[in-house]
C-alpha cells in the first residue's frame, strides 16, 4: 500500500483550490503544563502549537476528522476530558483527548484521540504543518484514522459495489496483510482524498508508523477549504453532529467501526475505563456542555476549545 502526493500541489496558493491529495494503491504519567508541549512549528506564515498537559508519547493515536469525527466523538461517551489543544495561528483546530476516563494526573490512557477540525477548518496551507506537528510531537506507536468519502462522486471499479448497492466502508492502509480489513473494501484509485486526512497520510507515509484510514460513506460532497484558518465555533461542532445524524449510519455500524478502530490500535476493550459502547448522540447545541480554551493555556477562557 502506498500513497502519492498530487504533483500539481501548491499548498501555499490562494487561487483555485490546489489538489493536495492522497490516493490509495492496492499494490501493496500526565503532568501539568510543560513548555515542550507549547513549542512552535513554522511553515511560511503558519504557526502550530500544542497547549495542555505534557502528553504521553508512543501511544496508539486515533484521529477522527470533520463530520465523522464530531459525530463519533459525541457518541463515544468513554472518551475522557480534553488534555490539550492543537492551535493553528492561535485558533484551536484539534482537541487531544484520552481514550477512556482518567482518575488522576498519573493515569495514562491506552490511547489518545485527536478530534480534528471539529471547531474550525484549515486552509490547504495549514494542513501539512498541522499534521506534521501532531505526528512529530506525539510520536504515536500506530495511527488509526476516521473520515468520510463522497459516494456520489466515487468512481466504481468493482461491479460488486456499483451504484444502487449499499455503499461500503472503505480503507487505506500500510498494513496490507492485516486480516482485520479483509471484510472491507479498498479505497481505490483514481479516487482521491483532498483534506487534512490526506496530509496525515502523507506525513505517516514518511515514517514506519503502522496506519489505517477508515472511510465512512457519505452523501455529502466535500467543500472547498477556506483561504485562512476559520475562527473556532461551537456552531460548527453542532452542525457536524447534525450532518452525521442525517447520514445512513446506524448505531450498529458505528459500534462496529469503533470496535475495529480499537483492534487496529491494539487496544483491549477491558483497558478502556468507562467501556467502549457507542450510542447515537442527540443533536443539540453544545455550548452548555463545552468550555472554551485559549492558546494561553487550558485554564483560560478564550477562543478555541472544548471539553468533550
Amino acid at each position: 500500500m502506498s500513497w502519492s502526493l498530487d504533483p500539481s500541489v501548491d499548498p501555499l496558493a490562494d487561487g483555485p483550490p490546489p489538489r493536495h491529495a492522497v490516493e490509495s494503491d492496492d499494490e501493496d504519567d500526565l503532568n501539568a503544563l510543560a513548555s515542550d508541549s507549547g513549542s512552535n512549528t513554522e511553515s511560511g506564515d503558519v504557526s502550530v502549537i500544542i497547549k495542555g498537559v505534557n502528553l504521553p508519547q508512543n501511544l496508539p493515536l486515533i484521529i477522527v476528522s470533520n463530520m465523522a469525527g464530531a459525530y463519533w466523538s459525541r457518541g463515544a461517551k468513554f472518551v475522557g476530558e480534553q488534555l490539550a489543544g492543537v492551535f493553528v495561528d492561535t485558533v484551536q483546530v484539534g482537541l487531544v483527548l484520552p481514550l477512556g476516563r482518567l482518575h488522576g494526573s498519573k493515569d495514562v490512557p491506552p490511547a489518545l484521540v485527536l478530534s480534528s477540525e471539529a471547531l474550525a477548518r484549515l486552509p490547504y496551507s495549514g494542513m501539512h504543518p498541522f499534521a506534521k506537528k501532531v505526528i512529530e510531537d506525539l510520536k504515536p506507536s500506530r495511527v488509526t484514522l476516521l473520515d468520510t468519502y463522497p459516494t456520489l462522486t466515487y468512481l466504481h471499479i468493482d461491479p460488486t459495489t456499483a451504484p444502487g448497492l449499499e455503499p461500503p466502508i472503505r480503507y487505506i492502509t500500510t498494513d496490507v496483510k492485516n486480516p482485520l480489513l479483509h471484510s472491507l473494501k479498498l479505497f481505490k484509485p483514481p479516487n482521491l482524498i483532498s483534506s487534512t486526512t490526506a496530509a496525515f497520510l502523507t506525513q505517516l507515509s514518511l515514517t514506519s508508523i503502522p496506519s489505517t484510514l477508515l472511510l465512512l460513506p457519505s452523501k455529502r460532497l466535500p467543500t472547498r477549504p477556506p483561504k485562512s484558518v476559520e475562527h473556532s465555533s461551537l456552531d460548527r461542532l453542532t452542525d457536524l453532529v447534525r450532518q452525521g445524524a442525517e447520514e445512513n449510519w446506524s448505531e450498529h455500524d458505528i459500534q462496529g467501526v469503533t470496535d475495529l478502530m480499537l483492534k487496529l490500535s491494539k487496544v483491549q476493550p477491558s483497558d478502556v475505563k468507562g467501556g467502549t459502547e457507542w450510542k447515537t448522540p442527540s443533536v443539540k447545541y453544545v455550548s452548555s456542555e463545552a468550555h472554551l480554551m485559549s492558546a494561553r493555556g487550558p485554564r483560560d477562557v478564550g477562543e478555541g476549545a472544548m471539553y468533550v
Side-chain angles (χ1 to χ4, degrees):
M1 178 65 59
S2 65
W3 304 288
S4 62
L5 188 63
D6 192 314
S8 65
V9 169
D10 180 6
L12 299 180
D14 287 326
R19 294 291 293 178
H20 136 303
V22 169
E23 67 178 22
S24 65
D25 180 349
D26 56 358
E27 289 177 359
D28 332 51
D29 168 17
L30 303 177
N31 298 316
L33 284 175
S35 59
D36 288 344
S37 114
S39 60
N40 283 26
T41 295
E42 300 269 350
S43 177
D45 295 328
V46 178
S47 172
V48 184
I49 62 173
I50 298 179
K51 275 286 186 179
V53 301
N54 187 17
L55 295 169
Q57 296 179 335
N58 302 311
L59 291 179
L61 176 63
I62 297 174
I63 301 174
V64 293
S65 298
N66 290 297
M67 174 176 63
Y71 188 69
W72 180 84
S73 296
R74 290 284 290 169
K77 301 303 183 183
F78 48 85
V79 172
E81 290 189 348
Q82 182 179 356
L83 300 174
V86 187
F87 293 81
V88 179
D89 292 342
T90 74
V91 176
Q92 184 170 203
V93 176
L95 299 84
V96 184
L97 311 111
L99 184 67
R101 303 289 178 175
L102 301 184
H103 301 288
S105 60
K106 294 184 179 181
D107 203 359
V108 179
L112 294 176
V113 175
L114 171 68
S115 180
S116 174
E117 294 184 283
L119 297 172
R121 297 178 66 207
L122 284 171
Y124 282 109
S125 60
M127 293 178 181
H128 280 293
F130 175 75
K132 186 173 186 288
K133 178 67 173 175
V134 168
I135 299 304
E136 288 185 347
D137 276 29
L138 298 186
K139 295 179 173 56
S141 59
R142 57 198 313 113
V143 177
T144 305
L145 305 98
L146 180 67
D147 207 334
T148 62
Y149 73 94
T151 57
L152 292 177
T153 57
Y154 187 84
L155 296 177
H156 294 271
I157 309 300
D158 184 352
T160 63
T161 57
L165 300 177
E166 189 71 21
I169 297 171
R170 297 185 180 274
Y171 73 94
I172 300 174
T173 188
T174 59
D175 191 2
V176 294
K177 296 182 179 180
N178 193 326
L180 294 172
L181 301 170
H182 288 174
S183 62
L184 303 182
K185 296 293 184 181
L186 191 66
F187 185 87
K188 294 184 178 181
N191 296 284
L192 298 174
I193 299 171
S194 181
S195 65
T196 303
T197 296
F200 274 111
L201 291 178
T202 301
Q203 184 65 30
L204 288 164
S205 70
L206 303 176
T207 73
S208 59
I209 300 172
S211 53
T212 298
L213 165 64
L214 301 179
L215 293 163
L216 298 177
S218 172
K219 56 190 176 184
R220 291 183 175 273
L221 295 175
T223 57
R224 180 175 178 173
K227 290 187 176 181
S228 60
V229 184
E230 293 180 338
H231 293 294
S232 292
S233 170
L234 292 172
D235 288 337
R236 169 172 167 78
L237 176 60
T238 303
D239 288 343
L240 290 175
V241 175
R242 182 178 295 111
Q243 291 170 16
E246 294 171 354
E247 295 286 346
N248 297 322
W249 304 334
S250 70
E251 190 170 274
H252 179 268
D253 291 337
I254 304 301
Q255 182 65 64
V257 168
T258 300
D259 295 342
L260 179 56
M261 289 196 296
L262 295 180
K263 290 177 181 178
L264 290 169
S265 302
K266 295 192 179 300
V267 172
Q268 297 296 325
S270 58
D271 294 335
V272 182
K273 296 177 181 178
T276 60
E277 184 180 15
W278 190 91
K279 287 292 186 181
T280 301
S282 60
V283 180
K284 61 183 179 180
Y285 191 67
V286 299
S287 62
S288 62
E289 304 172 20
H291 303 279
L292 296 181
M293 175 196 291
S294 78
R296 296 186 298 275
R299 298 182 186 275
D300 298 327
V301 176
E303 182 179 31
M306 59 165 284
Y307 289 87
V308 175

